[in-house]
Amino acid sequence: MPHSHHSHSGQFCRHAKGTLEDVLKAAINQKFRVFGISEHVPRYRKVDLYPEEDGLEIEELSDTFEKYFDEAHRLKKAYSQEISILVGLETEFITQLDLEHLSSAIQRHGCVIDYLVGSIHHVNGIPIDFDRVTYDRAVASFASASNSSSTPDILDRFYEAYFDAQVELMEKFHPEIIGHFDLCRLYEPSIQFRSRPNIWSKIERNVTFGISYGALFELNAAAFRKGWRTPYPGEDIFELIRHKGGRFALSDDSHGPLVVGQNYDRLFRFLREVGLQEIWYLKQSDRENVGGRRVEAIKMTGDEWLNDEFWNFAAGTSE
């Protein structure tokens, strides 16, 4: 303890800052002991590039991703005496093409991929975490497919598509970490999914499946800088996961050295307030897990993680 399973660098992600080595140095300086790096897989259509990637060719994204593994494992070895580094990737699922390429990437690099962060960032092919305008466009794209023009019905279609994509990703790849489980309500954190039976049943399905194969559900501190009162997932899904016996891991979802561990002080307060007794983290293993990767989940009890000296360093990390 402490740990984070979700991070990015400007070296391999255009909307992040700094080099991967600077990110890891920041993690070491903040007394992290386990730190997962999880650069995004590339996208494979020009239409899916973000504004900061304007002018790039699709091949350049793929080349950058290939170089990521070389650099990540160089750093993993170089800093092995100071921190336990896990080399992972964060998924994309825009179309079936992304899943096909992800399968190929895992086949090519399986021996150097420690774990997956299973995340959904698009619905109906449209980004949902870029800005509010684009998010609203993703929601509105379901208007023509709905039998009703009412906003609640359109939103239900949007949420259904998100959680259906999430479970498809989980079923195909068994990601060790479920990334920002409810990113689909990024701009509407007050939405209560329990009041939407169709949506809640899909959430229960996804949670149950994740638990069945041993996934860890990340408590993602990035939600605080987005204006949330809690980490991802929100309180309703958090309590569902806990009630069903699901396991939680910590993530900062940092996008550069200056934001490593950001809002971990708020995350710590949240954990104490809800009385979470166990936290889990990933560790290298000699045995393959259900996804074919060599990591396993390790439990820490409340006495272990609550009293860890790291939290003295985490104080003052809020944005």
Side-chain angles (χ1 to χ4, degrees):
M1 252 307 271
H3 54 267
S4 175
H5 296 85
H6 188 162
S7 65
H8 305 278
S9 72
Q11 187 173 354
F12 299 104
C13 172
R14 284 292 183 100
H15 61 268
K17 304 290 184 182
T19 67
L20 186 57
E21 186 163 14
D22 286 342
V23 168
L24 293 173
K25 286 180 177 179
I28 292 168
N29 289 338
Q30 291 193 37
K31 309 300 181 183
F32 277 91
R33 298 187 200 117
V34 177
F35 200 80
I37 47 180
S38 54
E39 299 290 9
H40 291 281
V41 296
R43 276 140 290 115
Y44 302 97
R45 304 184 306 171
K46 290 282 284 187
V47 69
D48 296 324
L49 299 187
Y50 289 103
E52 65 266 18
E53 296 166 332
D54 185 45
L56 287 180
E57 296 297 326
I58 291 297
E59 293 74 19
E60 292 179 82
L61 288 181
S62 295
D63 290 345
T64 298
F65 187 64
E66 298 292 321
K67 293 173 183 176
Y68 158 62
F69 288 110
D70 292 336
E71 177 66 355
H73 279 277
R74 181 188 75 81
L75 296 170
K76 180 176 180 175
K77 181 178 180 180
Y79 291 99
S80 61
Q81 299 303 308
E82 299 175 76
I83 191 170
S84 175
I85 297 170
L86 298 172
V87 179
L89 57 82
E90 185 176 14
T91 65
E92 298 286 356
F93 183 9
I94 309 170
T95 71
Q96 289 296 322
L97 182 65
D98 298 283
L99 301 191
E100 294 168 9
H101 279 282
L102 179 55
S103 292
S104 297
I106 291 173
Q107 290 175 3
R108 289 196 313 275
H109 300 291
C111 61
V112 297
I113 298 173
D114 294 328
Y115 74 107
L116 308 183
V117 178
S119 300
I120 302 295
H121 304 94
H122 296 71
V123 177
N124 226 11
I126 303 171
I128 61 172
D129 62 341
F130 181 72
D131 58 25
R132 181 62 193 249
V133 172
T134 312
Y135 175 89
D136 288 342
R137 184 160 60 87
V139 173
S141 71
F142 288 87
S144 60
S146 174
N147 294 324
S148 168
S149 61
S150 70
T151 298
D153 188 64
I154 294 170
L155 275 173
D156 278 0
R157 300 278 183 154
F158 169 75
Y159 293 136
E160 286 172 1
Y162 176 90
F163 289 115
D164 284 346
Q166 185 180 66
V167 78
E168 183 176 353
L169 180 74
M170 293 166 67
E171 289 172 344
K172 289 186 176 181
F173 299 103
H174 297 92
E176 288 79 4
I177 301 292
I178 307 302
H180 36 61
F181 189 100
D182 51 352
L183 188 69
C184 58
R185 59 176 168 186
L186 170 60
Y187 296 104
E188 300 288 351
S190 62
I191 289 285
Q192 293 299 306
F193 285 130
R194 284 185 182 273
S195 66
R196 298 170 181 263
N198 291 344
I199 309 305
W200 191 247
S201 67
K202 291 180 182 292
I203 292 170
E204 289 185 305
R205 174 200 62 192
N206 293 12
V207 168
T208 299
F209 180 72
I211 291 171
S212 75
Y213 75 82
L216 302 183
F217 298 87
E218 71 171 7
L219 294 170
N220 186 321
F224 292 115
R225 71 172 182 263
K226 301 292 186 178
W228 284 39
R229 296 185 302 104
T230 71
Y232 304 119
E235 291 173 288
D236 50 355
I237 298 177
F238 169 82
E239 291 297 345
L240 173 68
I241 295 169
R242 178 158 66 169
H243 175 74
K244 286 182 171 289
R247 305 183 297 179
F248 295 100
L250 305 185
S251 292
D252 65 2
D253 200 354
S254 55
H255 282 64
L258 296 181
V259 289
V260 167
Q262 187 176 68
N263 288 311
Y264 260 41
D265 56 339
R266 296 179 66 182
L267 181 58
F268 179 65
R269 290 197 297 271
F270 171 81
L271 296 174
R272 284 195 307 179
E273 288 169 3
V274 299
L276 190 63
Q277 294 301 307
E278 298 175 355
I279 286 178
W280 297 74
Y281 66 95
L282 294 178
K283 180 182 178 181
Q284 301 277 183
S285 173
D286 294 330
R287 297 177 298 175
E288 289 187 355
N289 61 24
V290 67
R293 293 170 290 275
R294 294 182 179 271
V295 290
E296 61 181 333
I298 304 297
K299 179 173 70 173
M300 294 192 74
T301 64
D303 288 342
E304 292 178 282
W305 66 264
L306 274 170
N307 299 316
D308 195 281
E309 64 176 355
F310 166 79
W311 301 111
N312 296 325
F313 294 93
T317 61
S318 295
E319 186 177 41

